[in-house]
Amino acid sequence: MATQSIESRAGGKRVTWVVVLIALSVLLNYVDRGAIGVAAPLMKEELGLSATGFGLAVSAFFWVYAPACLFVGWLCDRFCVYRVFALGVAIWAISTALTGFAGGLVSLIILRLFLGLGESIAFPGSTKIFAAEVPAERRGIANAAVAAAIAFGPAVGVLAGGAILGEWGWRPVFWIFGAVTLLWLIPWQFAAASMRARAHAVPASERVSIRQLLRVPALWKMSVVHFLSNYGFYFLLAWLPLYLVNTRGYSIGEMTALTTLSFMTQGVVALAGGWLSDRMVARGANEGEVRRWLMVAGQLAIGTATAGIAVADGYAMLAVWLALAGFGAGLIATNIFAVGQIFAGPRAAGSWMGVQNALGNISGIVGPIVTGLIVDYLGGYGYAFATAAALSMLGALLWWRMIPEIRTLDL
């Protein structure tokens, strides 16, 4: 018994370290992904990009990222997910660093495509690992760590990137961020070593094919609400710095403070929401319903805040609306992946999240181009903010009325 207890504690510590490193990788994922938004005020001018051209560059990431999630999710269910994860991180780190050498729209788009390929591992891979290693009563805090990283990544990226941007220009932003991400591979090799050694592919007789998954209505419904939750978040992530500096007239320092406030709020709310949901589940609450209503609240909050940002009068009101946007995004990011893990179970978690994340991230392809066209041809950001707010509100309605009972499905 004593030996089993020691082994259990040791295994728990290993899982904890792997969860921490996965969260750190997601933080770096969003630092690197959001670097283009931070660099935009100087990059756009130096490279001669129109708003439509900049939107194309942002969108290019998702041209590969979304479909690659399908393939990567399939890989995670059939090969060692820990090795696949490391390979993806290496690809995106190198792509980030090379973006600092971009000379125009074409090279920028090519490097964004490779960045999307590498970063496609993040959520199918983390979902597969969490579904296999993390018990239900700790699912909230594990996903909250990732959700907090989704928030703190842009916050760190804006703070560090803004400082680098102001001191040395936009190119070193990418060089430094890419190099730091490469260093992550060192602790990962040690922390995941024991899990790599015992990792086994799902037996062929127990595998769930993507074709089978595509016949499950709940997966399509989850993909729709994932699309709607991503649209508003990606809109703010990619366009907010440019909007605040070029349209509202704030300095880079003021832009940095405002966007950092939103992302820091998102991170704190994600951790608090994950802890609270785990406590509720441990005390007997229905996990699926807890996560459903947290998603409804998150969608309502970010939709309201997006509309508020567009009409806010003054710095203080902008700060209030951006904090509310962070509140909503924190609840969404904690629960969107946790619900997918519940539906899929350990056997099909990688493939399920590959499909859900691929379809959900079509918003990243469509959104930046739509926003760029609106800004260039409709004369401003008003309609762009209205579109993002309306889609977030629609997401709240669909979580309430369309998503079925949240439980592990018999696949």
Side-chain angles (χ1 to χ4, degrees):
M1 290 288 290
T3 302
Q4 276 187 328
S5 178
I6 292 170
E7 289 177 351
S8 177
R9 287 198 299 272
K13 288 180 181 178
R14 284 194 295 270
V15 171
T16 298
W17 276 113
V18 166
V19 169
V20 168
L21 281 172
I22 287 174
L24 179 58
S25 77
V26 173
L27 184 146
L28 294 170
N29 181 302
Y30 276 81
V31 167
D32 294 347
R33 187 186 305 197
I36 192 170
V38 176
L42 299 184
M43 171 195 277
K44 185 171 176 290
E45 181 178 353
E46 183 177 325
L47 298 183
L49 303 176
S50 66
T52 302
F54 177 72
L56 281 169
V58 174
S59 172
F61 169 90
F62 295 95
W63 300 349
V64 167
Y65 176 84
C69 284
L70 294 168
F71 177 62
V72 168
W74 179 86
L75 287 178
C76 290
D77 282 337
R78 285 156 179 78
F79 300 97
C80 177
V81 64
Y82 304 98
R83 290 190 172 89
V84 177
F85 207 101
L87 177 62
V89 173
I91 292 172
W92 98 55
I94 292 168
S95 302
T96 299
L98 290 178
T99 302
F101 297 100
L105 181 60
V106 173
S107 58
L108 185 60
I109 285 176
I110 291 171
L111 289 166
R112 293 286 292 177
L113 293 173
F114 276 100
L115 180 66
L117 175 64
E119 292 200 358
S120 65
I121 183 57
F123 298 113
S126 61
T127 293
K128 177 67 177 179
I129 293 169
F130 288 178
E133 306 285 355
V134 178
E137 65 275 11
R138 294 177 61 194
R139 196 192 324 261
I141 198 63
N143 283 281
V146 170
I150 292 172
F152 292 144
V156 170
V158 168
L159 281 173
I164 297 167
L165 189 69
E167 190 68 25
W168 296 305
W170 68 268
R171 294 184 187 276
V173 171
F174 295 96
W175 298 334
I176 293 170
F177 286 176
V180 170
T181 300
L182 275 175
L183 292 175
W184 175 92
L185 291 167
I186 298 171
W188 179 254
Q189 294 307 306
F190 292 101
S194 62
M195 295 182 180
R196 281 198 306 273
R198 62 180 174 80
H200 299 288
V202 176
S205 61
E206 298 180 16
R207 292 175 186 170
V208 180
S209 70
I210 290 178
R211 181 178 297 179
Q212 287 174 274
L213 287 176
L214 291 176
R215 293 199 291 264
V216 178
L219 176 56
W220 288 98
K221 293 174 182 179
M222 284 295 297
S223 299
V224 170
V225 293
H226 200 139
F227 175 99
L228 295 173
S229 69
N230 277 350
Y231 191 99
F233 178 73
Y234 288 154
F235 171 72
L236 295 177
L237 180 66
W239 291 93
L240 187 63
L242 199 60
Y243 169 74
L244 292 175
V245 173
N246 289 2
T247 300
R248 300 299 290 265
Y250 290 111
S251 68
I252 288 178
E254 290 170 324
M255 173 273 288
T256 299
L258 282 169
T259 52
T260 300
L261 169 66
S262 178
F263 290 127
M264 293 299 288
T265 304
Q266 178 180 339
V268 171
V269 169
L271 291 172
W275 174 83
L276 177 62
S277 64
D278 279 351
R279 290 291 298 272
M280 294 173 70
V281 172
R283 291 179 178 178
N286 182 295
E287 184 186 8
E289 289 307 299
V290 168
R291 302 204 184 284
R292 180 197 304 276
W293 289 106
L294 288 174
M295 284 299 303
V296 170
Q299 292 283 158
L300 288 173
I302 200 169
T304 302
T306 301
I309 292 167
V311 298
D313 184 15
Y315 192 89
M317 283 308 301
L318 265 174
V320 170
W321 289 120
L322 284 167
L324 182 61
F327 175 87
L331 294 180
I332 290 168
T334 298
N335 293 285
I336 189 76
F337 299 106
V339 173
Q341 291 159 26
I342 295 170
F343 275 130
R347 197 159 57 99
S351 298
W352 178 290
M353 192 49 62
V355 175
Q356 180 184 314
N357 209 37
L359 297 177
N361 275 280
I362 292 173
S363 59
I365 300 172
V366 174
I369 296 174
V370 169
T371 300
L373 291 171
I374 289 172
V375 172
D376 278 343
Y377 295 103
L378 295 182
Y381 282 87
Y383 288 111
F385 274 94
T387 299
L391 290 176
S392 293
M393 293 296 190
L394 177 60
L397 176 64
L398 296 184
W399 269 101
W400 174 38
R401 301 296 296 175
M402 184 178 75
I403 297 300
E405 180 187 358
I406 299 172
R407 58 178 177 79
T408 302
L409 300 176
D410 181 8
L411 300 173

